[in-house]
Amino acid sequence: MDAQIKRGLLDVCVLAAIKNEDSYGYKIIKDVKPYIDISESTLYPILRRLESNRLLVERSVEHNGRLRKYYHITELGKLRIEEFKKEWKEVLSIYKFIMKEDGADE
């Protein structure tokens, strides 16, 4: 898969993982893993990028004597998910066209 496409998909997956409740790194990986393979070395740069783009914010909470970073989606992050849903309709349309041209069923 094209690296730029995968990057965009991973960004939206991470935002979707925290859409309904704040979460932390390990839990985000666990929640996303059934759908797309992601590791810590992939996740944390994504989180930093999303934070720098103001799509999420980070806060630290003490948990078992250690600080745990929780991530919270911002309104811009929620808008990004909605934009992605609209964009995805176009991608599906292109996919259907390609499959039709190949003579394959959906």
Side-chain angles (χ1 to χ4, degrees), residues 18-35:
I18 63 171
K19 182 180 174 190
N20 295 322
E21 68 177 333
D22 296 356
S23 193
Y24 54 94
Y26 177 76
K27 185 166 184 325
I28 294 170
I29 290 171
K30 188 174 139 188
D31 291 344
V32 171
K33 209 157 193 111
Y35 307 99

Side-chain angles (χ1 to χ4, degrees), residues 85-95:
K85 289 177 184 178
K86 290 175 187 169
E87 293 165 357
W88 194 249
K89 288 179 184 177
E90 184 178 355
V91 171
L92 286 176
S93 179
I94 293 167
Y95 173 79

Side-chain angles (χ1 to χ4, degrees), residues 32-43:
V32 171
K33 209 157 193 111
Y35 307 99
I36 191 163
D37 192 33
I38 190 168
S39 65
E40 285 184 37
S41 62
T42 302
L43 176 65

Side-chain angles (χ1 to χ4, degrees), residues 1 5 87-106:
M1 177 182 287
I5 292 172
E87 293 165 357
W88 194 249
K89 288 179 184 177
E90 184 178 355
V91 171
L92 286 176
S93 179
I94 293 167
Y95 173 79
K96 287 177 183 179
F97 175 74
I98 292 168
M99 296 306 288
K100 179 181 133 197
E101 292 299 308
D102 286 346
D105 291 340
E106 298 170 30

Side-chain angles (χ1 to χ4, degrees), residues 3 8-9 16 18 21-22 36-37 50-52 54 60 65 72 79-80 89:
L9 290 172
I18 63 171
E21 68 177 333
D22 296 356
I36 191 163
D37 192 33
L50 293 173
E51 184 177 22
S52 71
R54 299 179 304 153
S60 295
H72 175 80
L79 285 172
R80 178 62 195 117
K89 288 179 184 177

Side-chain angles (χ1 to χ4, degrees), residues 52-69:
S52 71
N53 290 327
R54 299 179 304 153
L55 300 175
L56 61 80
V57 292
E58 168 192 311
R59 67 182 166 87
S60 295
V61 175
E62 189 172 332
H63 178 77
N64 292 334
R66 296 181 62 195
L67 286 181
R68 177 183 280 174
K69 292 181 181 180

